[in-house]
Amino acid sequence: MSPKDSPTQAGDTREAAAGLQRLAPQTGTGFLLRAGEQLTVVDPTGGQVSDLFCFSADDHAEWLSSGRTIDFANTIFLTTGHTLYSNRSTPMLTVVEDTCGRHDFLLTPCSQQTFDLLYPEFEGAYHPSCLENLVTGLAPFGVTPDMVTTTLNIFMNVWPEPSGELHIDPPTSTAGDRFTVRAEMDLHVGLTACSAEKSNGGTCKPIDYAVHPA
Amino acid sequence: MSPKDSPTQAGDTREAAAGLQRLAPQTGTGFLLRAGEQLTVVDPTGGQVSDLFCFSADDHAEWLSSGRTIDFANTIFLTTGHTLYSNRSTPMLTVVEDTCGRHDFLLTPCSQQTFDLLYPEFEGAYHPSCLENLVTGLAPFGVTPDMVTTTLNIFMNVWPEPSGELHIDPPTSTAGDRFTVRAEMDLHVGLTACSAEKSNGGTCKPIDYAVHPA
């Protein structure tokens, strides 16, 4: 890891002390987040999206629901204080810190098919994707691709015109922006450094994260 | 059925000839829609929402995906010409007719928990819901509540402020408005006359529908 890639380069002493880990560009991971623990996701360079999805660790038929969350929050833009609900309308995560203020909860994670359909310049060639990286990260827990619905796309800058037309603009996040959630139940969490060039201002960059004890 | 409830009351001869069926207020149904068949959903009185969800009839692990559909259509407002995709990025339905022009694909179907959380006036009492009615309609095919993600809420008038705040206004549909989709694969379809008073201008009304041969 070069100094440029050091997790503490754009972070602060709190982050280093909390055991910040780095996801290389276009990769992901999966882990157990116990009730009461907090997960901080940091954009170390600015302009980089991180997709998050989770399941109840006790029962994978309970999963993060964009539709329930948006309905109960009455907004498409989630931030500090909002609860993220499961398909069973049970709180899974609470947003406790958000220094960026713009995230997406409308779109599914990028997949090979996303690149096939929306990136004709790649001519159908293999491309890393958040769906693949989420499933690879969560596979040790038994997660398969069909189980992943709409992800919370942290730092992703998606906004609709009054006509409904969507804009996917470069993230507004700058180096060091943080998004922290507290687990309200034991969770299996998948997290990525997003692989889709167009969602990340043209270049795919790393993401840092840390789990804080309850 | 009283004359007032007759499916042809607010319809036209085309609808009667097509074998229009009526969903009573706050009810639902489930059925097989074969590839090439068309499903027409009619608001017979105006101002009434109908929730739709579907699975591949061959494999219920493939289901209607709001996130894939919105991503590929690049709009939150689906209408004539748009394709509705599965979680596997495969076309499930194509919208071939839409005389209303305003439908929602952001929110989950109303459930008992919706009423518990958003309708304090009901004090937690049992309330009919689209989730219950979808699952009852699809239960003969083996569908359970955890399998239903975000529904296409036909005629539902949900729109975001630039701030992200959502408005759920009375539907803009008037008596006889129609929404027709063509199946692109064999589907198990659930369909309701929505049970949520606030989404339907204060009163829950019937929905008519017809399946047209390929």
Side-chain angles (χ1 to χ4, degrees):
Chain A
M1 186 179 282
S2 73
K4 185 181 172 192
D5 290 332
S6 164
T8 57
Q9 180 78 4
D12 60 22
T13 53
R14 272 195 308 161
E15 287 163 4
L20 208 66
Q21 298 187 69
R22 172 149 292 187
L23 297 176
Q26 301 183 315
T27 69
T29 188
F31 49 88
L32 172 67
L33 189 71
R34 291 196 183 279
E37 290 182 335
Q38 296 192 8
L39 166 66
T40 295
V41 179
V42 180
D43 180 351
T45 61
Q48 176 59 39
V49 172
S50 173
D51 282 16
L52 181 152
F53 197 69
C54 62
F55 298 88
S56 163
D58 294 330
D59 183 355
H60 286 175
E62 183 162 21
W63 36 265
L64 183 65
S65 171
S66 61
R68 292 268 170 243
T69 300
I70 290 172
D71 196 4
F72 297 152
N74 201 45
T75 178
I76 58 172
F77 296 136
L78 285 300
T79 187
T80 307
H82 281 123
T83 301
L84 310 184
Y85 287 87
S86 77
N87 56 316
R88 296 178 187 167
S89 300
T90 305
M92 298 189 105
L93 293 163
T94 301
V95 184
V96 295
E97 178 186 36
D98 175 15
T99 66
C100 173
R102 176 53 59 90
H103 318 282
D104 171 66
F105 211 4
L106 301 180
L107 302 183
T108 36
C110 61
S111 67
Q112 182 63 46
Q113 291 80 11
T114 308
F115 296 101
D116 294 346
L117 281 163
L118 301 183
Y119 288 68
E121 61 269 34
F122 293 140
E123 299 179 339
Y126 167 79
H127 194 289
S129 71
C130 283
L131 181 60
E132 179 185 26
N133 288 329
L134 288 168
V135 171
T136 300
L138 289 166
F141 302 114
V143 170
T144 58
D146 287 333
M147 298 164 65
V148 178
T149 66
T150 297
T151 36
L152 178 68
N153 305 309
I154 300 165
F155 307 126
M156 189 172 183
N157 185 10
V158 179
W159 57 275
E161 296 268 10
S163 69
E165 183 187 353
L166 288 179
H167 293 258
I168 303 180
D169 285 346
T172 62
S173 51
T174 57
D177 265 335
R178 309 159 62 91
F179 183 84
T180 301
V181 286
R182 181 182 65 236
E184 304 298 348
M185 62 173 72
D186 290 350
L187 297 169
H188 290 147
V189 175
L191 190 72
T192 72
C194 175
S195 298
E197 286 79 1
K198 289 179 186 170
S199 304
N200 295 290
T203 57
C204 295
K205 302 168 287 297
I207 282 289
D208 293 343
Y209 72 100
V211 173
H212 313 276
Chain B
M1 184 179 281
S2 73
K4 185 181 172 193
D5 290 333
S6 163
T8 58
Q9 181 78 3
D12 61 20
T13 52
R14 272 196 309 160
E15 287 165 5
L20 208 65
Q21 299 186 70
R22 173 150 291 188
L23 297 177
Q26 301 183 314
T27 70
T29 187
F31 49 88
L32 172 67
L33 189 70
R34 291 195 183 278
E37 291 182 335
Q38 295 191 9
L39 166 66
T40 295
V41 179
V42 180
D43 181 351
T45 63
Q48 176 60 39
V49 172
S50 173
D51 282 16
L52 181 152
F53 197 69
C54 61
F55 298 88
S56 163
D58 295 330
D59 183 356
H60 285 177
E62 183 163 20
W63 36 266
L64 182 65
S65 171
S66 61
R68 292 269 170 243
T69 300
I70 289 172
D71 196 5
F72 297 153
N74 202 43
T75 178
I76 58 171
F77 296 136
L78 285 301
T79 188
T80 307
H82 281 124
T83 300
L84 310 184
Y85 287 86
S86 77
N87 56 317
R88 296 177 187 168
S89 301
T90 306
M92 298 190 106
L93 294 162
T94 302
V95 184
V96 296
E97 178 187 36
D98 174 16
T99 67
C100 173
R102 176 54 59 91
H103 318 281
D104 171 66
F105 210 4
L106 301 181
L107 303 183
T108 35
C110 60
S111 66
Q112 181 63 46
Q113 291 80 9
T114 309
F115 296 99
D116 294 345
L117 281 164
L118 301 183
Y119 288 68
E121 61 269 35
F122 293 141
E123 299 179 339
Y126 168 79
H127 193 289
S129 71
C130 283
L131 181 60
E132 179 185 27
N133 289 329
L134 287 168
V135 171
T136 301
L138 289 166
F141 302 114
V143 171
T144 57
D146 286 333
M147 298 164 65
V148 177
T149 67
T150 297
T151 36
L152 179 67
N153 305 309
I154 301 166
F155 306 127
M156 189 171 183
N157 185 10
V158 179
W159 59 274
E161 296 268 11
S163 69
E165 184 188 352
L166 288 179
H167 293 259
I168 303 179
D169 285 345
T172 62
S173 52
T174 57
D177 264 335
R178 310 159 62 89
F179 184 83
T180 301
V181 285
R182 182 182 66 236
E184 304 299 347
M185 62 172 73
D186 291 350
L187 298 169
H188 290 148
V189 174
L191 190 73
T192 72
C194 175
S195 298
E197 286 80 0
K198 289 179 186 170
S199 303
N200 296 288
T203 58
C204 295
K205 303 168 287 295
I207 282 289
D208 293 343
Y209 72 100
V211 172
H212 314 276

